[in-house]
Amino acid sequence: MGEDPYLFLFDYRQHYIPILQNGFSKIYPQLSERFGFDNVLFFKIINSKKEQKHRIWIDKKETNYQILTDRHSDYIDGLEVQTTPPLFVSWDTSYEEFLKLNIGHLYESEFETSYFKIDYPVRIGSLVINNLEFYYDENDRQNIAVQSYFTTLYADSNSDKSYYELRKLWMEEIPTDIENAGYERDDQKYLTFDLDGIGLSICYTYDVDSQYDDGGTSLSINNYRDYSEVIARDTIELNPETTKILSFETWLDFQPDYKNNANVIAVPQLLNENTQYHNAVWLANDHTFGFTGDQYAIQFNRTDISQIIVQNVLPAKGGGYVEFFVRLKSDDLVAIYYGEQMHWMPMCNLYKSFWALKC
């Protein structure tokens, strides 16, 4: 607090309510009765001249995890859904396979973000958690493994007990060097445990000037394994007689990631043969076109595109750089290339060759 005190409430959104605002004296008693605020502490703070921050209420959570007495060592393999009978799901299970298991449901948050939530408790090694979900975007690549699961774990004390219980369990079962696996500061504690390309991470945040302690430990499971073999199956054959090709003299860094962009494919053989593995753009007679990198390419349908954006950035110092984007009609912007500045004429040639625009 300070000269302009306010009440901060956080659920899915952050609500800053100025205490000096007209009508606050009427709304506060209603909020306090509903949530059970510490009124003594509240009025002590707002009547103080000292800048400070105190928690006057926290939503009490029940413990939503269990550490088993029978220990399991299958962390590296996957998770076990506690159906009857239990269903073991490999970490390599793809999005499209996962949705066919009939163990959960898709839903959309109030922020229009889609998630898949498992409807049963899940066992991960010797830990059973009540809730586990992952982000889901139907436009992302579906034939690779789920890339990230997440949940928040609470102990009934609404404290860092959940962090320390998981820390103790995993340090025993997945020994790791804390100095190389995270940090433990007064404001936040974070550890990650690597399991052959699967990272189990726990994070607990405390009250400081810029952060708030909600009493929960964030648990995330991230998949860093290589699934590039699926790209080899996503190749296309181009007709050399009807495909226009233009290669770039300047080497550019190819930006799209095959893990989160379903349009990324293997570089068509025709491009490799004609461009000697240089970056290139092609236009096929079926209204598709694309761009290549050293390992991958990305293909678009012209009917889905609203803009091709190429911009040279000229800083006050240094050599500058070029950025190359494709804007979809959905207004999403896809970064294609990043690299050294290009001369204007090759870019004009690109437009003239493919979109018959005047430079």
Side-chain angles (χ1 to χ4, degrees):
M1 296 299 176
E3 294 183 359
D4 299 312
Y6 61 85
L7 176 65
F8 173 77
L9 296 176
F10 176 75
D11 45 21
Y12 288 102
R13 301 178 186 272
Q14 297 184 5
H15 308 274
Y16 292 87
I17 308 175
I19 289 173
L20 301 180
Q21 186 174 7
N22 289 337
F24 182 84
S25 60
K26 295 181 179 179
I27 194 63
Y28 177 80
Q30 298 179 43
L31 292 172
S32 180
E33 181 179 0
R34 177 177 177 181
F35 295 108
F37 292 161
D38 185 338
N39 293 324
V40 174
L41 180 57
F42 172 77
F43 288 107
K44 179 181 178 180
I45 295 170
I46 65 172
N47 291 315
S48 172
K49 299 294 185 180
K50 179 183 177 182
E51 185 171 338
Q52 56 190 299
K53 180 183 77 173
H54 291 281
R55 185 172 69 199
I56 63 171
W57 174 83
I58 187 171
D59 186 19
K60 294 297 183 182
K61 303 285 188 179
E62 296 182 355
T63 300
N64 61 353
Y65 66 93
Q66 177 187 3
I67 296 176
L68 302 175
T69 54
D70 295 334
R71 296 303 173 91
H72 299 262
S73 59
D74 52 2
Y75 289 95
I76 197 172
D77 300 317
L79 57 88
E80 185 182 73
V81 183
Q82 303 300 286
T83 53
T84 305
L87 174 66
F88 197 85
V89 180
S90 166
W91 296 127
D92 297 321
T93 302
S94 69
Y95 289 93
E96 56 191 8
E97 293 169 337
F98 208 106
L99 268 60
K100 296 176 182 178
L101 295 177
N102 196 30
I103 55 174
H105 67 280
L106 291 167
Y107 74 95
E108 188 174 278
S109 75
E110 58 179 314
F111 304 110
E112 298 183 349
T113 301
S114 295
Y115 302 89
F116 182 91
K117 183 175 182 179
I118 300 174
D119 291 337
Y120 303 89
V122 172
R123 181 182 64 80
I124 302 168
S126 302
L127 172 72
V128 174
I129 56 181
N130 292 354
N131 302 297
L132 190 67
E133 51 193 300
F134 57 82
Y135 298 104
Y136 178 79
D137 188 335
E138 62 181 5
N139 296 316
D140 286 349
R141 185 174 296 279
Q142 301 293 303
N143 59 347
I144 62 169
V146 175
Q147 294 294 286
S148 181
Y149 301 84
F150 66 91
T151 191
T152 301
L153 302 182
Y154 295 94
D156 54 13
S157 60
N158 275 101
S159 70
D160 58 8
K161 177 182 176 182
S162 54
Y163 174 86
Y164 280 106
E165 287 192 338
L166 265 68
R167 180 189 190 278
K168 180 177 184 296
L169 171 67
W170 287 349
M171 288 296 287
E172 292 175 354
E173 299 192 338
I174 320 169
T176 191
D177 183 351
I178 292 179
E179 292 185 358
N180 296 324
Y183 53 85
E184 294 191 321
R185 307 186 306 245
D186 291 339
D187 64 322
Q188 190 176 69
K189 291 178 168 54
Y190 171 84
L191 285 177
T192 186
F193 299 80
D194 182 57
L195 298 161
D196 189 27
I198 301 297
L200 303 180
S201 300
I202 51 175
C203 181
Y204 192 92
T205 300
Y206 297 87
D207 272 332
V208 293
D209 289 343
S210 59
Q211 298 176 153
Y212 296 88
D213 181 352
D214 71 349
T217 296
S218 297
L219 167 64
S220 60
I221 305 162
N222 297 302
N223 190 329
Y224 304 110
R225 293 175 177 175
D226 181 14
Y227 296 98
S228 57
E229 76 277 358
V230 303
I231 304 301
R233 301 195 294 267
D234 292 337
T235 187
I236 59 173
E237 296 293 333
L238 297 173
N239 187 331
E241 296 180 359
T242 59
T243 302
K244 297 180 181 179
I245 300 173
L246 179 67
S247 62
F248 298 97
E249 295 181 4
T250 302
W251 178 255
L252 301 169
D253 290 330
F254 185 73
Q255 301 296 300
D257 183 354
Y258 76 87
K259 288 189 174 183
N260 55 32
N261 194 316
N263 291 325
V264 175
I265 59 174
V267 178
Q269 185 60 32
L270 180 65
L271 273 294
N272 285 333
E273 294 173 353
N274 283 266
T275 66
Q276 300 301 308
Y277 297 90
H278 283 81
N279 294 131
V281 56
W282 81 87
L283 180 67
N285 66 343
D286 62 354
H287 300 292
T288 61
F289 69 99
F291 305 89
T292 69
D294 57 344
Q295 298 183 63
Y296 307 117
I298 186 167
Q299 179 179 244
F300 298 97
N301 193 309
R302 293 178 68 182
T303 59
D304 297 330
I305 306 304
S306 63
Q307 283 182 304
I308 303 293
I309 304 171
V310 183
Q311 60 181 17
N312 273 332
V313 178
L314 304 172
K317 296 181 180 180
Y321 57 91
V322 66
E323 295 177 312
F324 199 114
F325 301 94
V326 169
R327 187 183 296 279
L328 307 180
K329 288 184 178 177
S330 64
D331 208 36
D332 291 333
L333 200 63
V334 182
I336 305 297
Y337 291 125
Y338 176 90
E340 297 181 1
Q341 285 186 348
M342 297 174 63
H343 294 296
W344 178 242
M345 281 311 299
M347 288 189 281
C348 285
N349 291 336
L350 172 66
Y351 284 119
K352 288 179 178 178
S353 298
F354 290 84
W355 287 277
L357 298 180
K358 181 179 180 180
C359 290

